[in-house]
Amino acid sequence: MPEETMHTTQPGSPAESQTDQHTESPPTVLKPSRDPQLVLLRHGQTEWSASGQHTGRTDLPLTPAGEKQARVAGAALSDYEFEAVYTSPLLRARRSAELAGYPDAVVDEDLAEWDYGPVDGRTSADVSEELGREFLIFDDGVRILPPSAEHGDGRAGETLDEVAVRAARMVARAEVTLAGRTGSDGGGNVLLVAHGHLLRVLVTVWLGADPRLGSRFELGTAAVCLLGYGHNLRTIEGWNLAAQ
């Protein structure tokens, strides 16, 4: 399903918008900013991310390509030191964190992917065919379909606003470390390892924008994003970097 996208790149860092595209080129090593950053890492490829199926709470492993993507992402972040690292509880994110070099990442339930309920395991094309019109998840949500035992174990799924509330809690926790309110001298970088839609909602929370704006932030598997501050405002310093 075509979507208008936004790509913000760091000078000298290639951004790749093709989800799940595999590359053999050497990883770009991202250079840390002078000031603390909130760094986002989407998990590597799974079978469903490759096929375009919405993967919410279904706990799929990484593909071999996805495992390699996670290692490349770790190499891209090799110059960073993180004061705190958090990961989604779902296997694909925890394994990505481990392969990227962060096996001790703290599991945080607020980083779990959007609970898609009846949309889980389905492609946008599948849902569009059932609705008789184009399905736009950031506008329609997932409760556009009735609960189904076959998809999402009969759960209704989360609303977009509920996902945004979880993302806001995570941002608040991260900012304690970013601002240096944990007893250390000055702030430190924070890494979040999570999922495509959750992270797209999280960036809208970071910007203080409508969460529906997340539809404009394309995010490839194992992509890295850099959030920071400028002129006392939360900013995007790099988006969809080093995507595989």
Side-chain angles (χ1 to χ4, degrees), residues 10-141:
Q10 181 172 286
S13 299
E16 174 59 66
S17 64
Q18 297 299 317
T19 301
D20 299 330
Q21 180 175 345
H22 185 61
T23 178
E24 293 295 336
S25 59
T28 299
V29 178
L30 302 174
K31 298 303 180 183
S33 168
R34 179 184 61 186
D35 299 317
Q37 292 177 310
L38 179 58
V39 180
L40 314 180
L41 172 60
R42 186 187 172 193
H43 64 76
Q45 182 197 73
T46 68
E47 288 187 5
W48 282 11
S49 70
S51 62
Q53 292 167 264
H54 289 92
T55 319
R57 302 304 170 85
T58 300
D59 210 6
L60 296 182
L62 299 178
T63 63
E67 293 198 347
K68 184 170 184 178
Q69 289 177 344
R71 292 188 184 97
V72 171
L77 293 172
S78 59
D79 282 355
Y80 272 81
E81 293 184 5
F82 292 104
E83 192 74 20
V85 180
Y86 298 93
T87 181
S88 159
L90 294 167
L91 174 61
R92 56 194 184 274
R94 289 189 289 109
R95 180 62 171 156
S96 294
E98 178 184 4
L99 292 172
Y102 308 100
D104 298 324
V106 175
V107 172
D108 195 302
E109 296 290 337
D110 282 335
L111 286 176
E113 180 62 297
W114 187 344
D115 184 349
Y116 296 127
V119 174
D120 198 79
R122 306 187 66 171
T123 66
S124 291
D126 292 338
V127 180
S128 295
E129 184 175 359
E130 183 161 336
L131 295 178
R133 61 170 178 82
E134 186 177 17
F135 169 63
L136 299 170
I137 192 168
F138 279 91
D139 290 331
D140 293 322

Side-chain angles (χ1 to χ4, degrees), residues 50-240:
S51 62
Q53 292 167 264
H54 289 92
T55 319
R57 302 304 170 85
T58 300
D59 210 6
L60 296 182
L62 299 178
T63 63
E67 293 198 347
K68 184 170 184 178
Q69 289 177 344
R71 292 188 184 97
V72 171
L77 293 172
S78 59
D79 282 355
Y80 272 81
E81 293 184 5
F82 292 104
E83 192 74 20
V85 180
Y86 298 93
T87 181
S88 159
L90 294 167
L91 174 61
R92 56 194 184 274
R94 289 189 289 109
R95 180 62 171 156
S96 294
E98 178 184 4
L99 292 172
Y102 308 100
D104 298 324
V106 175
V107 172
D108 195 302
E109 296 290 337
D110 282 335
L111 286 176
E113 180 62 297
W114 187 344
D115 184 349
Y116 296 127
V119 174
D120 198 79
R122 306 187 66 171
T123 66
S124 291
D126 292 338
V127 180
S128 295
E129 184 175 359
E130 183 161 336
L131 295 178
R133 61 170 178 82
E134 186 177 17
F135 169 63
L136 299 170
I137 192 168
F138 279 91
D139 290 331
D140 293 322
V142 300
R143 295 181 180 178
I144 194 77
L145 297 179
S148 166
E150 189 176 347
H151 298 280
D153 296 326
R155 297 188 305 275
E158 290 180 291
T159 67
L160 181 58
D161 286 341
E162 287 171 338
V163 179
V165 167
R166 290 198 286 112
R169 289 197 298 257
M170 188 69 251
V171 166
R173 282 194 287 281
E175 282 207 304
V176 172
T177 302
L178 292 167
R181 296 196 295 269
T182 58
S184 61
D185 294 331
N189 297 313
V190 177
L191 174 63
L192 308 181
V193 185
H195 310 269
H197 277 126
L198 183 281
L199 293 176
R200 291 164 73 177
V201 173
L202 188 143
V203 73
T204 69
V205 170
W206 182 259
L207 297 175
D210 188 318
R212 289 178 296 179
L213 184 64
S215 65
R216 306 300 179 95
F217 291 93
E218 195 60 67
L219 191 58
T221 48
V224 175
C225 304
L226 308 174
L227 308 183
Y229 302 91
H231 303 285
N232 296 315
L233 297 172
R234 292 173 177 170
T235 60
I236 301 174
E237 298 181 350
W239 188 262
N240 205 32

